[in-house]
Amino acid sequence: MLETIGKPGGPRIVICCGSGGVGKTTLSAAIGLYGALSGLKTIVLTIDPARRLADVLGIGEFTDKARPVPLDSFDNVSGELHAMMLDAKRTFDHLIDRYAPKDMQPHIFSNRYYQHLSENMGGSHEYMAMEKLYEIHHQGQWDLIVLDTPPSRRALDFLDAPQRVMNLLGHPYFMKIVRPKSRVGKLGGRVFGLVMTPFLKAMSQVIGKTAMEDLVSFFSLFNDVLLDGFEKRARGVASLLSDSVTAFVAITTPRAYPLQEAGFFYRRLEERGMPFHGFIVNRVHQADSPADVDALFLELNDKKVLPPEVIRMLETSYKRFSRLAKSDKKVIDQFRNEIGAEIPILEISMENDEVADLESLYRIGRRIVGDEK
Amino acid sequence: MPTDAIQKDIAKLISRRLVFVMGKGGTGKTTLSSALAFAAQEAGKRVLLVETEEGTAIGRIFGKTDLDGMPVQVSMGISIARVKPKEEMTAYTQFHVKSGFIAKRITGSRLFDYLATATPGLKEIMSLGRLWRWESERLEDGRYIYDIIIVDSPATGHVLNLLRLPKTLINMIRTGPIVSQVKRLDALLKDTSRTALALVSLPEELPVKESVELMSIANDEINMPVQIFFLNGIYPDLSASCKPQSACDIVFSDTPGGLYDSVSNQRAMGAVLAAARHQHTWRGVHEKYIDHVNAMASCPVVEIPFFFTNDMTLHEIRRIAKNWHTPPEIQGGVPHA
């Protein structure tokens, strides 16, 4: 998978989708490291940075500024690896800063709806991840960008951009109803003369009058000062994502929940003709099952090679592990049937320990790319 | 942790009316919710086990895929149901908006769909409203219909919204019929003798980190302290059966050369040793996170053994509940031969 990284015509952007806790950040870093060691100037963007991974990378901690990963433990490195954390709220504020006239900005920043939206409303983090990706890509200083997406289904909402972004902000439906009846006061940033139609009146009975006013003033501000900039931007993001410089991969483990999420990502990408490169199933337990293990235990007992308790322990642990390996294989086979044989599904076997150093990270990167000399 | 202490902690947890089981996706919320339902059933309680909008896992486990707001009995004393916020919101709107025509226009509009997902807390309050009605339903003789309601809660981010709900709503909405509801609901949620939060995590870095964060938000910001912390999927301690220790030192070492020499089938020996070494090393990793969680948690930490499978059967889930009463025969769950 991603065999062309570091070769002419290879991907410039790799987007890793998947639910949380499957090792997405680690695999993103492994892909990034592989890119760097293939001579590319690489940056890994992550949303959910693990302390331990920061240690492995030797960067102290992830921050919203790109930090270089020291690669001195490798010989003849011509590329670079940088790591950076995404800060959704700050990116959102940055956008307002860019597109809204200076005198309107305080009204937007102080709008309770904006505050809620930019801090924790579903979808805004995901959109901001894409926004940041677009910005960084257009800085033009990176050969390879690896993006570790937020772990939610909404991570792909931007695919319907620009409509989706507008929907995300609730814009079109709202404006249709509210627009002709409201005007934004330039001074207070609040709504003047909102004519309450029976519809709006009833609606505010349901959600409350204050919430209604906040919504209306946010969308009115949005419409007046931000719409053009946002739309243009969203269209740019959408076309970048469907371009062949971009490669999507879905990361999962052999468990029901993450597989279901990976399947969901794949179908959404497929529907929109996005460049999907395949699935990586991480943490697969692979047991060697020789036919005559039972004979081995008999032999160990006969020859008293080990104390009986220890032999029993070995037998139990082997049975358990085989059971797990069988269970892993079963769910992956099921998944393969569901998805179809033509889509690559790469298995990464469960390491014997947590990833502890750059060498093991590089090994995983080589395994993903199929470069295991 | 000794079994009788666990038993006491579980008994205390299921003495509540409302238990929210929370955690990241894939940590085993559904398994633990179901195990708690079985434990409550064993204790002679009438249980309602509820799945929330995003999952369908409870229904799947019990073989009912088309669950809705109507509880279905699946076992003596256990009913299951699913909360659908949209349905609740429609019912609520129709109740509060006097004109049927306008109510229909509202609930049928796309704006309504949008508001249902986008207005902070609206979805959650509707779900909570449903739980609250279940909580207060009584039989003719005055007893509650359900002694306990166990909620297989949505993923962490959404649960945070749910927990922050009273504050968010009062801030955002301030007036209107919802606020008065919120205040009464709030009283139920904040009453630790009636409501409890149970947290489920895996012994891995990010799930533990997120759980610890969630715990401090619940304890300090929202004033709904987490009552129990389940660490799920713990590998067994193989070295417990190492007598003498030196035998295991060889088994777990990277170079057990002598062992290979003394058997005829070296490939089989390799497979067996690899399996043991794998579990031994991961047990070490798990212990690190067990210690960390114990140091961070201000509530009991209960370890749930790993069952070495990807799909837990009802039988195995029931065994988790049984193990809370009696010590597990073999630590780490017994593999099916």
Short mmCIF file of all heavy atoms in Angstrom, two decimals, chain A residues 49-52 112-113 116 170 173 205-207 210 254 283 288 292 299 303 313 317 320 323 327-328 351-352 354, chain B residues 110-111 114 120 173-174 177-178 204-205 209 236 241 262-265 267 278-279 281-282 288-289 307-308 310 316:
data_model
loop_
_atom_site.label_atom_id
_atom_site.label_comp_id
_atom_site.label_asym_id
_atom_site.label_seq_id
_atom_site.Cartn_x
_atom_site.Cartn_y
_atom_site.Cartn_z
N PRO A 49 -2.79 13.43 20.06
CA PRO A 49 -1.40 13.02 20.23
C PRO A 49 -1.17 12.25 21.52
O PRO A 49 -1.65 12.66 22.58
CB PRO A 49 -0.66 14.36 20.30
CG PRO A 49 -1.66 15.33 20.78
CD PRO A 49 -3.01 14.83 20.42
N ALA A 50 -0.50 11.13 21.40
CA ALA A 50 -0.17 10.33 22.56
C ALA A 50 1.18 10.79 23.10
O ALA A 50 2.11 11.02 22.35
CB ALA A 50 -0.12 8.86 22.19
N ARG A 51 1.21 10.89 24.39
CA ARG A 51 2.43 11.27 25.09
C ARG A 51 3.59 10.33 24.70
O ARG A 51 4.70 10.74 24.43
CB ARG A 51 2.11 11.15 26.59
CG ARG A 51 3.20 11.29 27.57
CD ARG A 51 3.54 12.71 27.82
NE ARG A 51 4.94 12.89 27.44
CZ ARG A 51 5.55 14.05 27.37
NH1 ARG A 51 4.89 15.16 27.61
NH2 ARG A 51 6.79 14.14 27.04
N ARG A 52 3.27 9.05 24.70
CA ARG A 52 4.30 8.05 24.45
C ARG A 52 4.88 8.18 23.03
O ARG A 52 6.06 8.02 22.80
CB ARG A 52 3.71 6.66 24.65
CG ARG A 52 4.70 5.58 24.97
CD ARG A 52 3.98 4.30 25.35
NE ARG A 52 2.79 4.12 24.54
CZ ARG A 52 2.80 3.75 23.27
NH1 ARG A 52 3.93 3.50 22.65
NH2 ARG A 52 1.67 3.63 22.61
N ARG A 112 -22.41 33.56 21.63
CA ARG A 112 -22.36 32.28 22.36
C ARG A 112 -22.45 31.09 21.42
O ARG A 112 -21.89 30.05 21.67
CB ARG A 112 -23.50 32.22 23.37
CG ARG A 112 -23.18 32.87 24.69
CD ARG A 112 -24.24 32.53 25.71
NE ARG A 112 -25.55 32.99 25.24
CZ ARG A 112 -26.05 34.19 25.51
NH1 ARG A 112 -25.37 35.03 26.24
NH2 ARG A 112 -27.23 34.53 25.05
N TYR A 113 -23.18 31.27 20.33
CA TYR A 113 -23.32 30.18 19.39
C TYR A 113 -21.98 29.87 18.73
O TYR A 113 -21.59 28.72 18.58
CB TYR A 113 -24.37 30.51 18.34
CG TYR A 113 -24.82 29.29 17.61
CD1 TYR A 113 -25.78 28.44 18.17
CD2 TYR A 113 -24.27 28.96 16.39
CE1 TYR A 113 -26.16 27.29 17.53
CE2 TYR A 113 -24.66 27.81 15.74
CZ TYR A 113 -25.60 26.98 16.30
OH TYR A 113 -25.97 25.84 15.67
N HIS A 116 -19.70 28.06 21.19
CA HIS A 116 -20.04 26.66 21.33
C HIS A 116 -19.62 25.88 20.09
O HIS A 116 -19.02 24.81 20.18
CB HIS A 116 -21.54 26.51 21.57
CG HIS A 116 -21.93 25.10 21.84
ND1 HIS A 116 -21.85 24.55 23.09
CD2 HIS A 116 -22.36 24.13 21.02
CE1 HIS A 116 -22.23 23.30 23.03
NE2 HIS A 116 -22.55 23.01 21.79
N GLY A 170 -25.21 25.03 9.57
CA GLY A 170 -26.65 25.17 9.62
C GLY A 170 -27.17 26.28 8.74
O GLY A 170 -28.30 26.72 8.87
N TYR A 173 -30.69 26.39 5.40
CA TYR A 173 -32.08 26.26 5.83
C TYR A 173 -32.45 27.46 6.69
O TYR A 173 -33.52 28.02 6.59
CB TYR A 173 -32.28 24.99 6.66
CG TYR A 173 -31.72 23.79 6.01
CD1 TYR A 173 -30.97 22.88 6.74
CD2 TYR A 173 -31.92 23.56 4.65
CE1 TYR A 173 -30.44 21.77 6.14
CE2 TYR A 173 -31.39 22.45 4.04
CZ TYR A 173 -30.63 21.55 4.79
OH TYR A 173 -30.10 20.46 4.20
N GLN A 205 -40.36 28.53 21.03
CA GLN A 205 -40.95 27.88 22.20
C GLN A 205 -40.23 26.57 22.49
O GLN A 205 -40.10 26.15 23.63
CB GLN A 205 -42.43 27.56 21.94
CG GLN A 205 -43.35 28.71 22.28
CD GLN A 205 -44.77 28.43 21.84
OE1 GLN A 205 -45.10 27.36 21.33
NE2 GLN A 205 -45.63 29.40 22.06
N VAL A 206 -39.78 25.93 21.42
CA VAL A 206 -39.11 24.64 21.61
C VAL A 206 -37.68 24.83 22.10
O VAL A 206 -37.25 24.18 23.04
CB VAL A 206 -39.14 23.81 20.31
CG1 VAL A 206 -38.39 22.51 20.50
CG2 VAL A 206 -40.57 23.54 19.89
N ILE A 207 -36.95 25.71 21.45
CA ILE A 207 -35.53 25.81 21.83
C ILE A 207 -35.24 26.99 22.75
O ILE A 207 -34.14 27.10 23.27
CB ILE A 207 -34.59 25.86 20.61
CG1 ILE A 207 -34.71 27.20 19.87
CG2 ILE A 207 -34.84 24.73 19.66
CD1 ILE A 207 -33.53 27.45 18.96
N THR A 210 -33.77 32.98 23.70
CA THR A 210 -32.39 33.47 23.66
C THR A 210 -31.54 32.67 22.69
O THR A 210 -30.76 33.23 21.92
CB THR A 210 -31.76 33.38 25.06
OG1 THR A 210 -32.75 33.70 26.01
CG2 THR A 210 -30.59 34.30 25.18
N PRO A 254 -8.83 -5.67 14.26
CA PRO A 254 -9.80 -6.72 13.93
C PRO A 254 -10.91 -6.84 14.96
O PRO A 254 -11.15 -7.92 15.50
CB PRO A 254 -8.93 -7.99 13.89
CG PRO A 254 -7.76 -7.70 14.72
CD PRO A 254 -7.55 -6.23 14.69
N ARG A 283 -2.74 -4.43 14.65
CA ARG A 283 -2.83 -5.29 15.84
C ARG A 283 -3.52 -6.62 15.58
O ARG A 283 -4.42 -7.03 16.33
CB ARG A 283 -3.57 -4.57 16.96
CG ARG A 283 -2.91 -3.27 17.32
CD ARG A 283 -3.52 -2.73 18.57
NE ARG A 283 -3.01 -1.40 18.82
CZ ARG A 283 -3.63 -0.49 19.54
NH1 ARG A 283 -4.78 -0.78 20.11
NH2 ARG A 283 -3.12 0.69 19.73
N ASP A 288 1.22 -19.08 14.84
CA ASP A 288 1.64 -20.21 14.03
C ASP A 288 0.93 -21.43 14.64
O ASP A 288 1.01 -21.65 15.85
CB ASP A 288 3.16 -20.34 14.13
CG ASP A 288 3.67 -21.46 13.24
OD1 ASP A 288 2.92 -21.88 12.34
OD2 ASP A 288 4.81 -21.91 13.46
N ASP A 292 1.07 -30.50 15.31
CA ASP A 292 1.32 -31.44 16.41
C ASP A 292 1.74 -30.77 17.72
O ASP A 292 2.69 -31.18 18.37
CB ASP A 292 2.38 -32.45 15.97
CG ASP A 292 3.40 -31.80 15.06
OD1 ASP A 292 3.38 -30.55 14.97
OD2 ASP A 292 4.20 -32.50 14.43
N GLU A 299 5.47 -34.47 25.01
CA GLU A 299 6.92 -34.63 25.06
C GLU A 299 7.53 -33.84 26.21
O GLU A 299 8.38 -34.34 26.96
CB GLU A 299 7.51 -34.18 23.72
CG GLU A 299 9.00 -34.50 23.56
CD GLU A 299 9.56 -33.96 22.25
OE1 GLU A 299 8.78 -33.45 21.41
OE2 GLU A 299 10.79 -34.04 22.09
N LYS A 303 9.52 -35.78 29.16
CA LYS A 303 10.95 -35.55 29.40
C LYS A 303 11.18 -34.64 30.61
O LYS A 303 12.33 -34.34 30.92
CB LYS A 303 11.58 -34.92 28.16
CG LYS A 303 11.63 -35.84 26.95
CD LYS A 303 12.47 -35.17 25.87
CE LYS A 303 12.44 -35.95 24.57
NZ LYS A 303 12.87 -35.13 23.43
N MET A 313 0.77 -23.91 32.12
CA MET A 313 0.64 -22.48 31.81
C MET A 313 0.88 -22.24 30.31
O MET A 313 0.14 -21.51 29.65
CB MET A 313 1.63 -21.69 32.67
CG MET A 313 1.70 -20.20 32.40
SD MET A 313 2.92 -19.78 31.15
CE MET A 313 4.42 -19.79 32.14
N SER A 317 -1.86 -20.75 27.75
CA SER A 317 -1.61 -19.49 27.06
C SER A 317 -1.60 -19.70 25.55
O SER A 317 -2.05 -18.85 24.80
CB SER A 317 -0.30 -18.85 27.55
OG SER A 317 0.81 -19.43 26.93
N ARG A 320 -5.29 -20.00 24.43
CA ARG A 320 -5.90 -18.67 24.42
C ARG A 320 -5.48 -17.88 23.20
O ARG A 320 -6.29 -17.27 22.52
CB ARG A 320 -5.40 -17.88 25.63
CG ARG A 320 -6.08 -18.17 26.90
CD ARG A 320 -5.66 -17.03 27.84
NE ARG A 320 -5.87 -17.42 29.19
CZ ARG A 320 -4.92 -17.56 30.11
NH1 ARG A 320 -3.67 -17.32 29.79
NH2 ARG A 320 -5.21 -17.91 31.33
N ARG A 323 -6.94 -19.09 20.05
CA ARG A 323 -8.35 -18.72 19.98
C ARG A 323 -8.49 -17.29 19.47
O ARG A 323 -9.30 -16.99 18.60
CB ARG A 323 -8.97 -18.83 21.38
CG ARG A 323 -10.44 -18.49 21.37
CD ARG A 323 -11.04 -18.46 22.75
NE ARG A 323 -12.49 -18.33 22.62
CZ ARG A 323 -13.26 -17.66 23.45
NH1 ARG A 323 -12.74 -17.07 24.49
NH2 ARG A 323 -14.55 -17.59 23.24
N SER A 327 -10.07 -15.92 16.05
CA SER A 327 -11.13 -14.91 16.09
C SER A 327 -10.78 -13.71 15.20
O SER A 327 -11.61 -13.21 14.46
CB SER A 327 -11.34 -14.49 17.54
OG SER A 327 -12.24 -13.43 17.63
N ASP A 328 -9.51 -13.29 15.25
CA ASP A 328 -9.05 -12.18 14.40
C ASP A 328 -9.23 -12.54 12.93
O ASP A 328 -9.72 -11.76 12.12
CB ASP A 328 -7.57 -11.87 14.65
CG ASP A 328 -7.36 -11.04 15.91
OD1 ASP A 328 -8.36 -10.77 16.61
OD2 ASP A 328 -6.21 -10.67 16.19
N GLU A 351 2.41 -6.11 17.66
CA GLU A 351 3.80 -6.12 18.11
C GLU A 351 3.88 -6.79 19.48
O GLU A 351 2.88 -6.91 20.19
CB GLU A 351 4.33 -4.69 18.22
CG GLU A 351 4.39 -3.96 16.91
CD GLU A 351 5.66 -4.27 16.12
OE1 GLU A 351 6.73 -4.34 16.73
OE2 GLU A 351 5.55 -4.47 14.90
N ASN A 352 5.08 -7.20 19.83
CA ASN A 352 5.21 -7.85 21.13
C ASN A 352 5.28 -6.86 22.28
O ASN A 352 5.41 -7.22 23.43
CB ASN A 352 6.42 -8.77 21.14
CG ASN A 352 5.96 -10.22 21.16
OD1 ASN A 352 4.83 -10.49 21.59
ND2 ASN A 352 6.79 -11.12 20.71
N GLU A 354 4.62 -2.23 23.22
CA GLU A 354 4.29 -0.93 22.68
C GLU A 354 5.46 -0.44 21.83
O GLU A 354 6.61 -0.75 22.13
CB GLU A 354 4.05 0.06 23.83
CG GLU A 354 2.83 -0.28 24.66
CD GLU A 354 2.59 0.72 25.78
OE1 GLU A 354 3.48 0.85 26.64
OE2 GLU A 354 1.55 1.36 25.78
N ARG B 110 -36.63 20.58 7.36
CA ARG B 110 -35.21 20.21 7.44
C ARG B 110 -34.52 21.05 8.52
O ARG B 110 -33.56 20.62 9.13
CB ARG B 110 -34.54 20.43 6.09
CG ARG B 110 -35.11 19.49 5.03
CD ARG B 110 -34.51 19.78 3.68
NE ARG B 110 -33.17 19.24 3.54
CZ ARG B 110 -32.38 19.52 2.52
NH1 ARG B 110 -32.78 20.34 1.57
NH2 ARG B 110 -31.18 18.98 2.43
N LEU B 111 -35.06 22.22 8.72
CA LEU B 111 -34.51 23.07 9.78
C LEU B 111 -34.61 22.36 11.13
O LEU B 111 -33.70 22.40 11.95
CB LEU B 111 -35.26 24.40 9.82
CG LEU B 111 -34.90 25.34 10.98
CD1 LEU B 111 -33.44 25.74 10.89
CD2 LEU B 111 -35.78 26.57 10.97
N TYR B 114 -31.98 19.91 11.41
CA TYR B 114 -30.73 20.57 11.68
C TYR B 114 -30.64 20.99 13.15
O TYR B 114 -29.67 20.72 13.85
CB TYR B 114 -30.55 21.79 10.77
CG TYR B 114 -29.46 22.66 11.30
CD1 TYR B 114 -28.15 22.20 11.29
CD2 TYR B 114 -29.74 23.87 11.91
CE1 TYR B 114 -27.15 22.93 11.86
CE2 TYR B 114 -28.74 24.61 12.47
CZ TYR B 114 -27.45 24.14 12.44
OH TYR B 114 -26.46 24.86 13.02
N PRO B 120 -27.08 22.98 20.85
CA PRO B 120 -26.32 22.30 21.89
C PRO B 120 -27.24 21.70 22.94
O PRO B 120 -28.08 22.40 23.50
CB PRO B 120 -25.47 23.42 22.50
CG PRO B 120 -25.46 24.50 21.49
CD PRO B 120 -26.71 24.39 20.70
N ILE B 173 -30.10 28.66 26.65
CA ILE B 173 -31.54 28.81 26.44
C ILE B 173 -32.15 29.79 27.43
O ILE B 173 -32.87 30.70 27.06
CB ILE B 173 -32.23 27.43 26.52
CG1 ILE B 173 -31.64 26.53 25.42
CG2 ILE B 173 -33.71 27.58 26.32
CD1 ILE B 173 -32.25 25.17 25.35
N ARG B 174 -31.83 29.61 28.65
CA ARG B 174 -32.20 30.52 29.75
C ARG B 174 -33.69 30.62 30.04
O ARG B 174 -34.09 30.70 31.17
CB ARG B 174 -31.59 31.91 29.53
CG ARG B 174 -30.09 31.85 29.72
CD ARG B 174 -29.49 33.20 29.81
NE ARG B 174 -29.45 33.82 28.50
CZ ARG B 174 -28.82 34.95 28.24
NH1 ARG B 174 -28.22 35.59 29.20
NH2 ARG B 174 -28.79 35.43 27.03
N PRO B 177 -39.75 26.34 28.20
CA PRO B 177 -40.21 25.18 28.97
C PRO B 177 -39.10 24.17 29.27
O PRO B 177 -39.16 23.44 30.25
CB PRO B 177 -41.27 24.54 28.07
CG PRO B 177 -40.98 25.06 26.70
CD PRO B 177 -40.36 26.39 26.87
N ILE B 178 -38.06 24.16 28.44
CA ILE B 178 -37.02 23.15 28.65
C ILE B 178 -36.30 23.38 29.97
O ILE B 178 -35.98 22.45 30.69
CB ILE B 178 -36.03 23.13 27.46
CG1 ILE B 178 -36.73 22.53 26.25
CG2 ILE B 178 -34.79 22.35 27.80
CD1 ILE B 178 -35.90 22.47 25.00
N GLU B 204 -4.62 0.81 27.72
CA GLU B 204 -3.75 1.35 26.67
C GLU B 204 -3.64 2.85 26.88
O GLU B 204 -4.49 3.46 27.52
CB GLU B 204 -4.36 1.08 25.29
CG GLU B 204 -4.38 -0.39 24.93
CD GLU B 204 -5.30 -0.68 23.75
OE1 GLU B 204 -5.59 0.25 22.99
OE2 GLU B 204 -5.72 -1.84 23.63
N GLU B 205 -2.63 3.44 26.27
CA GLU B 205 -2.32 4.83 26.59
C GLU B 205 -3.47 5.80 26.34
O GLU B 205 -3.91 6.52 27.24
CB GLU B 205 -1.08 5.29 25.82
CG GLU B 205 -0.65 6.68 26.31
CD GLU B 205 0.47 7.28 25.48
OE1 GLU B 205 0.75 6.76 24.40
OE2 GLU B 205 1.03 8.29 25.94
N LYS B 209 -5.76 7.79 29.01
CA LYS B 209 -5.61 9.24 29.09
C LYS B 209 -6.98 9.92 29.00
O LYS B 209 -7.33 10.79 29.80
CB LYS B 209 -4.71 9.70 27.94
CG LYS B 209 -4.43 11.18 27.91
CD LYS B 209 -3.50 11.53 26.74
CE LYS B 209 -3.64 12.99 26.37
NZ LYS B 209 -3.47 13.23 24.94
N PRO B 236 -3.96 -12.05 31.50
CA PRO B 236 -3.67 -12.78 32.73
C PRO B 236 -2.19 -12.70 33.10
O PRO B 236 -1.35 -12.46 32.23
CB PRO B 236 -4.04 -14.22 32.37
CG PRO B 236 -3.91 -14.29 30.90
CD PRO B 236 -4.29 -12.93 30.37
N SER B 241 1.98 -18.69 37.80
CA SER B 241 2.14 -20.15 37.90
C SER B 241 3.60 -20.58 37.76
O SER B 241 3.88 -21.74 37.51
CB SER B 241 1.28 -20.83 36.84
OG SER B 241 1.52 -20.25 35.59
N SER B 262 15.78 -29.48 23.58
CA SER B 262 15.28 -30.66 24.28
C SER B 262 13.98 -31.21 23.70
O SER B 262 13.44 -32.16 24.23
CB SER B 262 15.10 -30.33 25.77
OG SER B 262 14.37 -29.13 25.90
N VAL B 263 13.46 -30.61 22.63
CA VAL B 263 12.25 -31.17 22.02
C VAL B 263 12.50 -31.50 20.54
O VAL B 263 13.43 -30.96 19.93
CB VAL B 263 11.05 -30.20 22.11
CG1 VAL B 263 10.65 -29.97 23.56
CG2 VAL B 263 11.36 -28.88 21.42
N SER B 264 11.64 -32.36 20.00
CA SER B 264 11.86 -32.77 18.61
C SER B 264 11.20 -31.80 17.63
O SER B 264 11.69 -31.60 16.53
CB SER B 264 11.32 -34.18 18.39
OG SER B 264 9.98 -34.26 18.87
N ASN B 265 10.08 -31.18 18.06
CA ASN B 265 9.37 -30.29 17.14
C ASN B 265 9.65 -28.84 17.50
O ASN B 265 8.98 -28.24 18.34
CB ASN B 265 7.88 -30.59 17.18
CG ASN B 265 7.12 -29.84 16.10
OD1 ASN B 265 7.60 -28.83 15.58
ND2 ASN B 265 5.94 -30.35 15.77
N ARG B 267 9.41 -26.13 15.68
CA ARG B 267 8.45 -25.14 15.20
C ARG B 267 7.30 -25.00 16.21
O ARG B 267 6.90 -23.88 16.55
CB ARG B 267 7.91 -25.56 13.84
CG ARG B 267 6.98 -24.53 13.28
CD ARG B 267 6.44 -24.87 11.92
NE ARG B 267 5.17 -24.17 11.73
CZ ARG B 267 4.24 -24.55 10.88
NH1 ARG B 267 4.41 -25.64 10.13
NH2 ARG B 267 3.14 -23.86 10.77
N HIS B 278 4.24 -13.23 24.24
CA HIS B 278 3.32 -12.15 23.86
C HIS B 278 2.46 -11.74 25.06
O HIS B 278 2.36 -10.57 25.41
CB HIS B 278 2.43 -12.61 22.71
CG HIS B 278 1.32 -11.67 22.39
ND1 HIS B 278 1.45 -10.65 21.48
CD2 HIS B 278 0.06 -11.56 22.89
CE1 HIS B 278 0.32 -9.96 21.43
NE2 HIS B 278 -0.55 -10.49 22.27
N GLN B 279 1.85 -12.75 25.70
CA GLN B 279 0.96 -12.43 26.81
C GLN B 279 1.72 -11.88 28.00
O GLN B 279 1.24 -11.01 28.72
CB GLN B 279 0.16 -13.67 27.21
CG GLN B 279 -0.89 -14.01 26.17
CD GLN B 279 -1.44 -15.41 26.33
OE1 GLN B 279 -2.06 -15.73 27.32
NE2 GLN B 279 -1.20 -16.25 25.34
N THR B 281 4.59 -10.10 27.93
CA THR B 281 5.00 -8.71 27.73
C THR B 281 3.80 -7.77 27.84
O THR B 281 3.89 -6.71 28.46
CB THR B 281 5.62 -8.45 26.34
OG1 THR B 281 5.71 -9.64 25.63
CG2 THR B 281 6.93 -7.75 26.44
N TRP B 282 2.67 -8.16 27.24
CA TRP B 282 1.52 -7.26 27.30
C TRP B 282 0.96 -7.17 28.71
O TRP B 282 0.44 -6.13 29.10
CB TRP B 282 0.45 -7.66 26.28
CG TRP B 282 0.83 -7.15 24.93
CD1 TRP B 282 1.34 -7.88 23.90
CD2 TRP B 282 0.81 -5.79 24.49
NE1 TRP B 282 1.64 -7.05 22.84
CE2 TRP B 282 1.32 -5.78 23.17
CE3 TRP B 282 0.42 -4.58 25.07
CZ2 TRP B 282 1.44 -4.59 22.43
CZ3 TRP B 282 0.54 -3.41 24.33
CH2 TRP B 282 1.05 -3.43 23.03
N LYS B 288 1.30 -1.62 34.02
CA LYS B 288 1.70 -0.21 34.08
C LYS B 288 0.45 0.69 34.10
O LYS B 288 0.33 1.61 34.91
CB LYS B 288 2.56 0.10 32.84
CG LYS B 288 3.10 1.50 32.76
CD LYS B 288 4.06 1.66 31.59
CE LYS B 288 3.31 1.94 30.30
NZ LYS B 288 4.17 2.07 29.11
N TYR B 289 -0.53 0.37 33.22
CA TYR B 289 -1.73 1.21 33.17
C TYR B 289 -2.66 0.95 34.35
O TYR B 289 -3.36 1.86 34.80
CB TYR B 289 -2.44 1.04 31.82
CG TYR B 289 -1.62 1.63 30.70
CD1 TYR B 289 -1.06 0.84 29.71
CD2 TYR B 289 -1.33 3.00 30.68
CE1 TYR B 289 -0.27 1.39 28.71
CE2 TYR B 289 -0.54 3.55 29.69
CZ TYR B 289 -0.01 2.74 28.71
OH TYR B 289 0.78 3.29 27.74
N PHE B 307 -10.95 -11.92 27.31
CA PHE B 307 -11.51 -13.23 27.00
C PHE B 307 -10.94 -13.83 25.71
O PHE B 307 -11.41 -14.84 25.23
CB PHE B 307 -13.04 -13.16 26.93
CG PHE B 307 -13.70 -13.24 28.28
CD1 PHE B 307 -13.67 -12.17 29.15
CD2 PHE B 307 -14.33 -14.41 28.69
CE1 PHE B 307 -14.26 -12.25 30.41
CE2 PHE B 307 -14.92 -14.49 29.94
CZ PHE B 307 -14.89 -13.41 30.80
N PHE B 308 -9.94 -13.20 25.14
CA PHE B 308 -9.26 -13.72 23.95
C PHE B 308 -10.21 -14.04 22.80
O PHE B 308 -10.14 -15.09 22.17
CB PHE B 308 -8.40 -14.94 24.32
CG PHE B 308 -7.23 -14.54 25.18
CD1 PHE B 308 -7.35 -14.47 26.57
CD2 PHE B 308 -6.03 -14.16 24.60
CE1 PHE B 308 -6.29 -14.05 27.35
CE2 PHE B 308 -4.96 -13.74 25.37
CZ PHE B 308 -5.09 -13.68 26.76
N ASN B 310 -12.91 -11.69 19.78
CA ASN B 310 -13.41 -10.39 19.32
C ASN B 310 -14.90 -10.23 19.51
O ASN B 310 -15.42 -9.14 19.46
CB ASN B 310 -13.05 -10.17 17.86
CG ASN B 310 -11.57 -10.01 17.68
OD1 ASN B 310 -10.97 -9.13 18.28
ND2 ASN B 310 -10.96 -10.87 16.91
N GLU B 316 -20.40 -15.55 27.95
CA GLU B 316 -19.18 -14.97 28.52
C GLU B 316 -19.48 -13.70 29.32
O GLU B 316 -18.87 -13.45 30.36
CB GLU B 316 -18.17 -14.68 27.41
CG GLU B 316 -17.53 -15.94 26.88
CD GLU B 316 -16.89 -15.76 25.50
OE1 GLU B 316 -17.40 -14.93 24.70
OE2 GLU B 316 -15.90 -16.43 25.23
#
